Coordinates of all heavy atoms in Angstrom, one line a residue:
Chain B
L183 N -21.6 17.9 23.1 CA -22.2 17.9 21.8 C -23.7 17.8 21.9 O -24.4 18.4 21.2 CB -21.6 16.7 21.0 CG -22.2 16.5 19.6 CD1 -21.8 17.7 18.7 CD2 -21.8 15.2 18.9
G184 N -24.1 16.9 22.9 CA -25.6 16.7 23.1 C -26.2 18.0 23.4 O -27.3 18.4 22.9
S185 N -25.6 18.8 24.3 CA -26.3 20.1 24.7 C -26.3 21.0 23.5 O -27.3 21.7 23.3 CB -25.4 20.8 25.8 OG -25.1 19.9 26.8
R186 N -25.2 21.1 22.8 CA -25.2 22.0 21.7 C -26.3 21.6 20.6 O -27.0 22.4 20.1 CB -23.8 22.0 21.0 CG -23.6 22.9 19.9 CD -22.2 23.3 19.6 NE -21.3 22.2 19.3 CZ -21.2 21.6 18.2 NH1 -21.9 22.0 17.1 NH2 -20.4 20.6 17.9
L187 N -26.4 20.3 20.4 CA -27.3 19.8 19.4 C -28.8 20.0 19.8 O -29.7 20.2 19.0 CB -27.0 18.3 19.0 CG -25.8 18.1 18.2 CD1 -25.6 16.6 17.9 CD2 -25.7 18.9 16.9
A188 N -29.0 19.9 21.2 CA -30.4 20.1 21.6 C -30.8 21.5 21.3 O -31.9 21.7 20.8 CB -30.4 19.8 23.1
L189 N -29.9 22.5 21.5 CA -30.2 23.9 21.2 C -30.5 24.0 19.7 O -31.4 24.6 19.2 CB -29.1 24.8 21.5 CG -28.9 25.1 23.0 CD1 -27.6 25.9 23.3 CD2 -30.1 25.8 23.6
W190 N -29.6 23.4 18.9 CA -29.7 23.5 17.4 C -31.0 22.8 16.9 O -31.7 23.4 16.1 CB -28.4 22.9 16.8 CG -28.5 23.0 15.3 CD1 -28.6 21.9 14.4 CD2 -28.5 24.2 14.5 NE1 -28.6 22.4 13.1 CE2 -28.5 23.8 13.2 CE3 -28.4 25.5 14.8 CZ2 -28.6 24.7 12.1 CZ3 -28.4 26.4 13.8 CH2 -28.5 26.0 12.4
G191 N -31.3 21.7 17.5 CA -32.5 21.0 17.2 C -33.8 21.9 17.4 O -34.7 21.8 16.6
R192 N -33.8 22.7 18.5 CA -34.9 23.6 18.7 C -34.9 24.7 17.7 O -35.9 25.2 17.2 CB -34.9 24.1 20.1 CG -35.2 23.1 21.1 CD -35.1 23.7 22.5 NE -34.7 22.6 23.4 CZ -33.7 22.8 24.4 NH1 -33.1 23.9 24.6 NH2 -33.4 21.7 25.1
R193 N -33.7 25.1 17.4 CA -33.5 26.3 16.5 C -34.1 26.1 15.1 O -34.6 27.0 14.5 CB -32.0 26.6 16.4 CG -31.5 27.5 15.3 CD -31.8 28.9 15.5 NE -31.4 29.7 14.3 CZ -31.9 29.6 13.1 NH1 -33.0 28.8 12.9 NH2 -31.4 30.3 12.1
V194 N -34.0 24.8 14.6 CA -34.3 24.6 13.2 C -35.8 24.5 13.0 O -36.3 24.6 11.8 CB -33.6 23.4 12.5 CG1 -32.1 23.6 12.6 CG2 -34.0 22.1 13.2
V195 N -36.6 24.3 14.1 CA -38.0 24.0 13.9 C -38.8 25.2 13.3 O -39.6 25.0 12.4 CB -38.7 23.6 15.2 CG1 -40.1 23.2 15.0 CG2 -37.9 22.4 15.8
G196 N -38.5 26.4 13.9 CA -39.3 27.5 13.5 C -39.2 27.8 12.0 O -40.2 27.9 11.3
D197 N -38.0 27.8 11.4 CA -37.8 28.0 10.0 C -38.5 26.9 9.2 O -39.0 27.2 8.1 CB -36.3 28.1 9.7 CG -35.7 29.4 10.2 OD1 -36.2 30.5 9.9 OD2 -34.6 29.3 10.9
T198 N -38.4 25.7 9.7 CA -39.0 24.6 8.9 C -40.6 24.7 8.9 O -41.2 24.5 7.9 CB -38.6 23.3 9.6 OG1 -37.2 23.2 9.7 CG2 -39.1 22.1 8.7
L199 N -41.1 25.2 10.0 CA -42.6 25.3 10.0 C -43.0 26.5 9.1 O -44.1 26.5 8.5 CB -43.1 25.6 11.5 CG -42.9 24.4 12.4 CD1 -43.5 24.7 13.8 CD2 -43.6 23.1 11.9
L200 N -42.1 27.5 8.9 CA -42.4 28.5 8.0 C -42.5 28.0 6.6 O -43.3 28.4 5.8 CB -41.4 29.7 8.1 CG -41.5 30.6 9.3 CD1 -40.4 31.6 9.4 CD2 -42.9 31.3 9.3
V201 N -41.5 27.1 6.3 CA -41.6 26.5 4.9 C -42.9 25.7 4.7 O -43.5 25.8 3.7 CB -40.4 25.6 4.7 CG1 -40.5 24.7 3.4 CG2 -39.1 26.4 4.6
A202 N -43.2 24.9 5.8 CA -44.5 24.2 5.7 C -45.6 25.1 5.5 O -46.5 24.9 4.6 CB -44.6 23.4 7.0
R203 N -45.7 26.2 6.3 CA -46.8 27.1 6.2 C -46.8 27.7 4.7 O -47.9 27.9 4.2 CB -46.6 28.2 7.2 CG -47.6 29.3 7.1 CD -47.3 30.4 8.0 NE -47.6 30.0 9.4 CZ -48.8 30.2 10.0 NH1 -49.8 30.8 9.3 NH2 -49.0 29.9 11.2
S204 N -45.7 27.9 4.1 CA -45.7 28.5 2.8 C -46.3 27.6 1.8 O -46.7 28.0 0.7 CB -44.3 28.9 2.4 OG -43.6 27.7 1.9
A205 N -46.4 26.3 2.1 CA -47.0 25.4 1.2 C -48.5 25.2 1.4 O -49.2 24.6 0.6 CB -46.4 24.0 1.4
I206 N -49.0 25.8 2.4 CA -50.5 25.7 2.7 C -51.3 26.7 2.0 O -50.9 27.8 1.8 CB -50.7 25.9 4.3 CG1 -50.2 24.6 5.0 CG2 -52.1 26.1 4.6 CD1 -50.3 24.7 6.5
H207 N -52.4 26.2 1.5 CA -53.4 27.1 0.9 C -54.1 27.9 2.0 O -54.8 27.4 2.8 CB -54.4 26.3 0.1 CG -55.5 27.1 -0.4 ND1 -55.4 27.9 -1.5 CD2 -56.8 27.3 0.0 CE1 -56.5 28.5 -1.7 NE2 -57.4 28.2 -0.8
L208 N -53.8 29.2 2.0 CA -54.4 30.1 3.0 C -55.7 30.8 2.5 O -55.7 31.1 1.3 CB -53.4 31.1 3.5 CG -52.2 30.5 4.2 CD1 -51.1 31.6 4.4 CD2 -52.5 29.9 5.5
S209 N -56.7 30.9 3.4 CA -57.9 31.6 2.9 C -57.8 33.1 2.8 O -58.6 33.7 2.1 CB -59.0 31.2 3.9 OG -58.8 31.9 5.1

Side-chain angles (χ1 to χ4, degrees):
Chain B
L183 178 68
S185 312
R186 182 157 61 80
L187 290 182
L189 286 173
W190 181 245
R192 287 177 215 135
R193 164 71 184 72
V194 300
V195 183
D197 288 309
T198 309
L199 293 183
L200 286 175
V201 169
R203 175 185 287 270
S204 78
I206 286 178
H207 172 78
L208 297 170
S209 70

